[in-house]
């Protein structure tokens, strides 16, 4: 979604804004722009361009053409109005004295726009954001802060805002409601940004704005206020990852780099949480009585995080014998869920900012449930609003298609299941220790799988021009297929569907014809024979079958399937953690063969902060 960066300091701002925007490109966008206060003539200089950031950077000769030390920049992911130069941000008021960048949606913009038009205010764009710029201008009588606060009383919806005014060139205003915004503290300079990656080159000291907060940034400090304009003391965090974690480091794509980083990410996630052969969870604020009393679990998430929940349902129900319901956050928030004080809601999110997930969390809290979140981005909104947070510690994930976050989320959920099972006494000692032992071997086993990536590349070259691909599997393999199918769809644009194998004969098998590619997942030993029957079923209708299985079943699978990918044997609940690597690599290589923009797939955004 949209990216915001703002700077006030003593250095030239334009190159800083362009660099920050480049680091936010991964979020997804279709146009970009900057506004800089020009000390030469006291005006706001605004430049915007549809398309890649490079178009804007070229137009500005890398930032050399605009001079000034205060400015705001934006990458826009279109919601109101098509991607175009005029709809790009910053949006400027009719006087040209106020410029605004915005992430989010103003829900009552139409009503405000018609009011302003009636007042004689001309509009040039189709955006909801222009309403903010014009409304601030409408209220402006020489005090920009006063005008902004009056505007905030009238706008409804979600917004992160960066605002500059040509009459107050020593200030940059930041506002947050339901859309992420962070503040960065430098030496003689300060920053605002949608996320840390935009400013980490300049400072590691950041604070996270809360809903309803407004901040005034000057060269010498940042003053923050709550929605009543009472001063707020912000806690300053130090970012603990290195800048190269958010750079490609010689890889052609972030996605490939992140696939290959998974073993290390899993080590970081798992190792510190196993102490003396027991699961140990940091700052874990759920007491044992509460854990014993849980009578139902909801897992709520979107996209790949939801697929982690699907795997989690099978694993947690087996370990805990408690019903686990997995719900898409966008459905959960409107479905009037039945929650009691004994219901635990587990929220999963890489970014910690997904708006649907956030709204579901708030709904669950309103209904009295406890919230445990599994989050990657430290200090994100979902993390801050949860009763308990377990971080995945995967490091920054830049590619839109998630890989290492998915794997580490799954590891955390498995550790949580084991921890709960131990407290509740629903897992035998020997099994518990056997699983823990396997978990510790997982990173090395994953390295083994990744080392055979050439075979996946070969298969991708064989199958990349299929128009439609089916993933079939049962139980854990079905959940795994859902993620494999999503990965393929989002980056290669091939239509694909994940089916529970047993359900094929109830309709979908009519789509199988000579040459249809079916990716048959048969890693789960207990249902291997059933998986084989489904492979035979589709083979006999002409399908080309690419199978994924485990070492013990490789020979049996190879008798029927056209090609087989094999993962090492491990305990059942960890099979998807190994199988997923092949499916990620398959999607990656297919997209590469098809010449797709892998790290920035069309229409997608990394962090989905609109409904
Ligand atoms: O940041 P989140 O985990 O909340 O994001 C949820 C989904 O938007 C995300 O998993 C999406 O499906 C990915 N693009 C999948 O690769």
């Amino acid at each position: 979604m949209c990216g915001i960066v703002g700077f006030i300091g003593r250095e030239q701002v334009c190159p800083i804004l362009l660099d920050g925007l480049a680091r936010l490109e991964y979020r997804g966008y279709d146009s970009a722009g900057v506004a800089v206060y020009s000390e030469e003539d006291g005006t706001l200089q605004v430049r915007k361009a549809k398309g890649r950031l490079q178009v804007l950077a070229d137009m500005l000769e890398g930032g050399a053409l605009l001079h000034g030390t205060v400015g705001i920049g934006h990458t826009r992911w279109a919601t109101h109005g098509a991607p175009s130069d005029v709809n790009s941000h910053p949006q400027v008021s009719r006087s040209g004295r106020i410029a605004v960048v915005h992430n989010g949606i103003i829900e009552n913009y139409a009503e405000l726009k018609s009011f302003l038009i009636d007042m004689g205010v001309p509009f040039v764009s189709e955006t909801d954001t222009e309403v903010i710029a014009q409304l601030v201008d409408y209220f402006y009588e020489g005090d920009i802060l006063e005008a902004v606060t009056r505007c905030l009383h009238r706008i409804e919806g979600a917004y992160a805002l960066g605002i500059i005014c040509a009459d107050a060139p020593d200030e940059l205003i930041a506002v947050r409601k339901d859309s992420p915004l962070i503040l960065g503290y430098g030496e003689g300079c300060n920053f605002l940004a949608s996320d840390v990656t935009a400013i980490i080159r300049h400072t590691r000291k950041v604070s996270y704005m809360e809903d309803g907060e407004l901040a005034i940034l000057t060269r010498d400090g940042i003053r923050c206020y709550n929605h009543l304009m009472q001063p707020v003391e912000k806690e300053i965090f130090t970012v603990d990852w290195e800048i190269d974690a958010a750079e490609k480091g010689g890889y052609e794509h972030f996605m490939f780099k992140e696939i290959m980083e998974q073993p290390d990410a899993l080590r970081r996630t798992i190792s510190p949480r196993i102490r003396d052969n027991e699961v140990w969870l940091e700052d874990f604020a759920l007491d044992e009585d509460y854990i014993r009393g849980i009578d139902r679990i909801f897992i709520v998430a979107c996209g790949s995080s939801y697929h982690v929940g699907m795997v989690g349902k099978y694993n947690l129900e087996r370990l805990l014998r408690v019903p686990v319901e997995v719900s898409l956050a966008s459905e959960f928030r409107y479905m009037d869920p039945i929650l009691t004080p004994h219901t635990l809601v587990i929220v999963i999110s890489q970014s910690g900012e997904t708006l649907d997930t956030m709204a579901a969390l708030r709904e669950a809290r309103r209904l009295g449930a406890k919230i445990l979140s599994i989050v990657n981005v430290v200090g994100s909104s979902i993390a801050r609003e949860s009763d308990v947070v377990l971080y995945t510690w995967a490091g920054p994930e830049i590619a839109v298609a998630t890989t290492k976050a998915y794997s580490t989320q799954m590891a955390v959920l498995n550790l949580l299941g084991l921890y709960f099972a131990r407290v509740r006494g629903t897992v035998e000692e020997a099994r518990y220790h056997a699983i823990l032992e396997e978990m510790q071997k997982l990173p090395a086993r994953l390295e083994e799988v990744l080392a055979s990536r050439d075979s996946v590349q070969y298969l991708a070259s064989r199958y990349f021009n299929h128009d439609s691909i089916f993933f079939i599997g049962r139980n854990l393999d079905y959940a795994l297929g859902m993620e494999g199918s999503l990965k393929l769809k989002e980056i290669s644009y091939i239509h694909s569907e994940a089916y529970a194998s047993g359900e094929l004969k109830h309709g979908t098998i009519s789509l199988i014809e000579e040459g249809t590619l079916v990716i048959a997942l048969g890693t789960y030993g207990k249902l291997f024979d059933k998986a084989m029957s489904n492979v035979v079923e589709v083979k006999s209708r002409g399908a080309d079958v690419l199978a994924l299985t485990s070492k013990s079943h490789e020979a049996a699978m190879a008798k029927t399937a056209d090609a087989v990918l094999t993962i090492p044997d491990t305990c059942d609940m960890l099979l998807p953690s190994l199988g997923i690597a092949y499916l990620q690599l398959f999607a990656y290589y297919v997209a590469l063969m098809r010449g797709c923009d892998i790290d920035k797939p069309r229409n997608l955004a990394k962090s989905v902060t609109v409904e």
Side-chain angles (χ1 to χ4, degrees):
M1 302 267 108
C2 309
I4 290 178
V5 59
F7 173 81
I8 179 161
R10 294 183 175 89
E11 295 160 58
Q12 284 301 309
V13 65
C14 203
I16 295 174
L17 296 179
L18 290 174
D19 177 69
L21 292 178
R23 288 167 197 284
L24 294 177
E25 274 190 293
Y26 77 95
R27 295 167 66 92
Y29 71 104
D30 39 50
S31 58
V34 294
V36 170
Y37 172 73
S38 160
E39 282 144 30
E40 285 148 28
D41 60 7
T43 60
L44 296 182
Q45 295 292 316
V46 181
R47 302 287 185 279
K48 315 192 279 189
K50 179 185 164 190
R52 289 288 175 214
L53 180 63
Q54 197 55 46
V55 178
L56 179 72
D58 290 346
M59 181 197 278
L60 293 169
E61 294 183 3
L65 292 189
L66 282 190
H67 302 140
T69 54
V70 188
I72 46 180
H74 190 262
T75 44
R76 172 174 186 253
W77 190 84
T79 56
H80 295 59
S84 68
D85 292 355
V86 78
N87 286 336
S88 311
H89 300 198
Q91 287 291 320
V92 181
S93 70
R94 66 170 160 167
S95 68
R97 309 292 289 163
I98 293 159
V100 177
V101 287
H102 166 215
N103 182 7
I105 288 178
I106 302 304
E107 281 158 8
N108 60 340
Y109 88 101
E111 178 195 319
L112 293 170
K113 186 169 177 173
S114 65
F115 163 76
L116 288 164
I117 289 173
D118 288 350
M119 293 294 123
V121 177
F123 276 76
V124 293
S125 81
E126 299 156 274
T127 64
D128 51 341
T129 306
E130 189 181 356
V131 165
I132 305 174
Q134 302 290 16
L135 197 59
V136 173
D137 197 319
Y138 176 78
F139 288 130
Y140 183 62
E141 289 168 349
D143 182 341
I144 185 64
L145 189 57
E146 165 75 18
V148 169
T149 49
R150 287 181 74 185
C151 168
L152 295 179
H153 287 133
R154 279 155 185 90
I155 57 176
E156 289 164 16
Y159 44 84
L161 303 174
I163 304 172
I164 53 173
C165 173
D167 302 334
D170 297 319
E171 287 179 354
L172 177 53
I173 296 178
V175 184
R176 178 208 154 123
K177 183 178 166 275
D178 291 337
S179 257
L181 201 57
I182 61 152
L183 302 169
Y185 301 76
E187 298 286 324
C189 62
N190 289 299
F191 302 81
L192 63 91
S194 297
D195 70 52
V196 173
T197 45
I199 59 171
I200 187 163
R201 260 190 77 190
H202 307 280
T203 180
R204 289 173 173 280
K205 294 197 179 331
V206 300
S207 67
Y208 300 92
M209 290 188 76
E210 301 287 345
D211 274 348
E213 284 183 353
L214 178 149
I216 301 170
L217 291 76
T218 64
R219 290 177 178 81
D220 303 319
I222 300 180
R223 304 191 303 277
C224 207
Y225 302 90
N226 65 15
H227 66 288
L228 299 172
M229 287 306 283
Q230 293 160 328
V232 176
E233 202 59 50
K234 296 301 291 176
E235 189 179 351
I236 299 180
F237 297 86
T238 304
V239 179
D240 64 356
W241 46 266
E242 297 303 321
I243 187 161
D244 32 316
E247 288 178 344
K248 278 192 206 152
Y251 288 95
E252 197 182 342
H253 296 102
F254 277 112
M255 182 181 178
F256 189 67
K257 176 182 179 239
E258 289 160 5
I259 290 174
M260 299 307 287
E261 279 174 356
Q262 290 179 108
D264 281 342
L266 282 175
R267 281 187 188 99
R268 280 199 302 276
T269 307
I270 297 170
S271 305
R273 291 181 169 127
I274 301 181
R275 293 186 175 179
D276 301 328
N277 267 332
E278 293 289 337
V279 177
W280 175 86
L281 299 175
E282 70 284 358
D283 300 330
F284 202 67
L286 294 183
D287 64 44
E288 298 201 344
D289 283 343
Y290 172 81
I291 294 169
R292 282 188 206 99
I294 294 172
D295 59 9
R296 195 163 180 224
I297 295 176
F298 266 99
I299 302 181
V300 181
C302 302
S304 295
S305 299
Y306 168 79
H307 296 153
V308 169
M310 290 294 296
V311 173
K313 172 184 169 67
Y314 293 117
N315 286 343
L316 264 52
E317 284 188 342
R318 269 182 200 121
L319 282 169
L320 306 175
R321 307 310 301 153
V322 161
V324 178
E325 211 165 307
V326 193
S327 191
L328 290 164
S330 51
E331 291 294 314
F332 180 91
R333 57 184 294 196
Y334 298 118
M335 77 185 194
D336 202 3
I338 302 164
L339 307 179
T340 73
H342 299 292
T343 312
L344 174 66
V345 174
I346 302 178
V347 170
I348 308 179
S349 175
Q350 186 286 129
S351 60
E353 300 293 352
T354 302
L355 191 120
D356 283 323
T357 311
M358 186 70 209
L361 179 157
R362 288 180 178 160
E363 174 67 357
R365 172 176 301 294
R366 190 183 68 79
L367 295 170
K370 275 224 188 304
I371 318 288
L372 182 155
S373 65
I374 299 177
V375 174
N376 192 37
V377 177
V378 175
S380 54
S381 307
I382 289 175
R384 282 178 290 136
E385 291 202 21
S386 303
D387 296 299
V388 185
V389 190
L390 291 172
Y391 284 112
T392 44
W393 298 328
E397 191 179 63
I398 307 295
V400 166
T402 182
T403 52
K404 61 178 181 173
Y406 171 90
S407 295
T408 52
Q409 286 167 348
M410 212 143 62
V412 172
L413 201 51
N414 286 335
L415 286 165
L416 182 73
L418 286 166
Y419 182 84
F420 280 1
R422 193 79 164 141
V423 172
R424 294 167 67 101
T426 49
V427 62
E428 309 90 64
E429 177 106 17
R431 183 164 168 243
Y432 172 81
H433 288 298
I435 299 173
L436 275 191
E437 208 172 301
E438 286 297 301
M439 282 206 81
Q440 291 173 89
K441 291 182 187 157
L442 197 58
R445 294 220 164 101
L446 193 56
E447 266 159 4
E448 238 179 274
V449 172
L450 293 172
S452 53
R453 58 187 176 279
D454 287 357
S455 54
V456 189
Q457 187 163 21
Y458 163 72
L459 290 169
S461 68
R462 194 160 129 189
Y463 295 122
F464 77 95
N465 52 15
H466 279 257
D467 295 333
S468 181
I469 298 179
F470 289 90
F471 288 74
I472 60 168
R474 288 171 185 261
N475 205 277
L476 287 168
D477 285 323
Y478 170 45
L480 176 62
M482 292 173 89
E483 178 59 8
S485 169
L486 178 63
K487 282 285 89 70
L488 187 72
K489 273 186 275 230
E490 63 182 335
I491 60 167
S492 76
Y493 316 143
I494 296 179
H495 167 257
S496 97
E497 292 195 38
Y499 254 81
S501 314
E503 190 62 14
L504 272 181
K505 58 186 173 297
H506 297 289
T508 316
I509 201 160
S510 64
L511 294 171
I512 307 290
E513 54 184 13
E514 203 57 40
T516 305
L517 178 60
V518 173
I519 300 187
L521 309 175
T523 67
Y524 185 40
K526 289 197 182 81
L527 294 175
F528 181 76
D529 293 344
K530 305 276 177 204
M532 274 314 297
S533 324
N534 297 123
V535 170
V536 172
E537 253 166 35
V538 293
K539 270 302 303 170
S540 57
R541 283 159 181 86
D544 217 346
V545 174
L546 163 55
L548 176 67
T549 190
S550 60
K551 191 78 197 139
S552 330
H553 300 290
E554 186 182 21
M557 186 59 99
K559 285 187 190 141
T560 312
D562 297 279
V564 181
L565 292 167
T566 307
I567 57 169
D569 287 318
T570 184
C571 58
D572 291 346
M573 63 186 269
L574 302 182
L575 290 163
S577 302
L578 295 177
I580 190 57
Y582 277 131
L583 303 186
Q584 294 165 345
L585 286 167
F586 183 74
Y588 174 79
Y589 286 126
V590 165
L592 198 63
M593 297 291 298
R594 292 166 72 95
C596 300
D597 191 349
I598 293 180
D599 284 336
K600 293 179 215 112
R602 69 182 178 212
N603 304 336
L604 293 181
K606 180 68 182 162
S607 164
V608 183
T609 51
V610 294
E611 189 172 353

